[in-house]
Amino acid sequence: MSSPRRSVLAMAVLSMLSEEPMHAYRMQQLIKERHKDEVVNVAQRNSVYQTIERLLRDGLIEVAATERAENRPERTTYRLTAPGATTLTRWLREMVAEPAREFPEFPAALAFLPSLDSGDALDALRTRIASLERQLAGLDAGLAESGTVLPRLFLVEDEYRRAVVAAELDYVRSLADDVAGGDLRW
């Protein structure tokens, strides 16, 4: 049998269930309440249910209970299985240890930057700079506020995101300066 397919959302579901059995809606709520939706895409509730179905098929989770409250839809509570706990640990180790080959939009856009004229490119870079500055300020404010109530262990993904945004901001500023100054021409 093949190894279960790893995904960020599947890892998040397994992690939620490592705390306690819960239903899909509760998992999605917790991810949002804890602001983990900044790193895990749960915008589409259906994707959570599809992930749960896949984890069920793979034997990584199981149904703990099915309930029906008056005038409410049936609610299924899931729990982590022993193979699910093992898989969660393996996935987390791999995700932390091994850089993934990801394909974000910005590097792809940079690869095709010559398709814009230099004025359009400079305008777009300056717009991105303003957006990155807002993101950085928001991350700084969030870290300062959260740091007063949460241990650092629960903020490391925000620290990482802040470092990445700061590095990108430095790079984009430098690139915009090179375009504006004529050091980068096409």
Side-chain angles (χ1 to χ4, degrees):
M1 182 172 173
S2 65
S3 181
R5 185 173 56 87
R6 183 177 85 190
S7 74
V8 173
L9 184 52
M11 180 270 309
V13 168
L14 293 177
S15 182
M16 294 283 116
L17 293 177
S18 73
E19 296 176 23
E20 65 182 2
M22 62 183 76
H23 52 84
Y25 182 70
R26 180 68 180 140
M27 287 181 235
Q28 191 172 24
Q29 276 183 317
L30 281 176
I31 289 170
K32 287 180 180 182
E33 285 173 14
R34 296 173 181 176
H35 304 285
K36 303 306 182 192
D37 57 331
E38 296 291 327
V39 294
V40 178
N41 185 358
V42 292
Q44 300 294 321
R45 186 176 306 156
N46 195 42
S47 59
V48 173
Y49 288 101
Q50 289 172 347
T51 299
I52 287 170
E53 286 301 315
R54 184 169 53 85
L55 294 171
L56 275 168
R57 277 193 315 271
D58 291 340
L60 302 181
I61 64 174
E62 62 189 10
V63 173
T66 303
E67 306 166 348
R68 175 175 282 236
E70 189 176 311
N71 297 327
R72 306 281 295 165
E74 192 173 80
R75 180 175 284 179
T76 303
T77 301
Y78 303 93
R79 70 175 155 239
L80 191 63
T81 63
T86 300
T87 299
L88 173 61
T89 300
R90 181 172 45 86
W91 284 354
L92 282 170
R93 283 183 183 141
E94 291 169 358
M95 291 168 128
V96 169
E98 301 166 12
R101 189 167 179 223
E102 299 170 321
F103 299 93
E105 289 181 352
F106 185 56
L110 289 176
F112 297 97
L113 193 62
S115 294
L116 292 175
D117 68 45
S118 61
D120 283 345
L122 184 57
D123 287 345
L125 290 168
R126 287 178 174 156
T127 299
R128 188 173 193 95
I129 289 167
S131 177
L132 290 169
E133 288 170 342
R134 286 189 301 275
Q135 283 182 20
L136 194 59
L139 286 164
D140 285 341
L143 281 166
E145 181 181 330
S146 297
T148 63
V149 293
L150 291 173
R152 181 174 175 222
L153 177 62
F154 297 105
L155 302 172
V156 293
E157 76 274 11
D158 288 335
E159 289 177 359
Y160 171 78
R161 287 179 43 237
R162 192 220 178 273
V164 169
V165 170
E168 182 178 334
L169 179 57
D170 287 346
Y171 175 77
V172 176
R173 282 178 176 154
S174 174
L175 184 61
D177 288 346
D178 288 347
V179 172
D183 295 326
L184 180 62
R185 294 182 286 226
W186 59 92

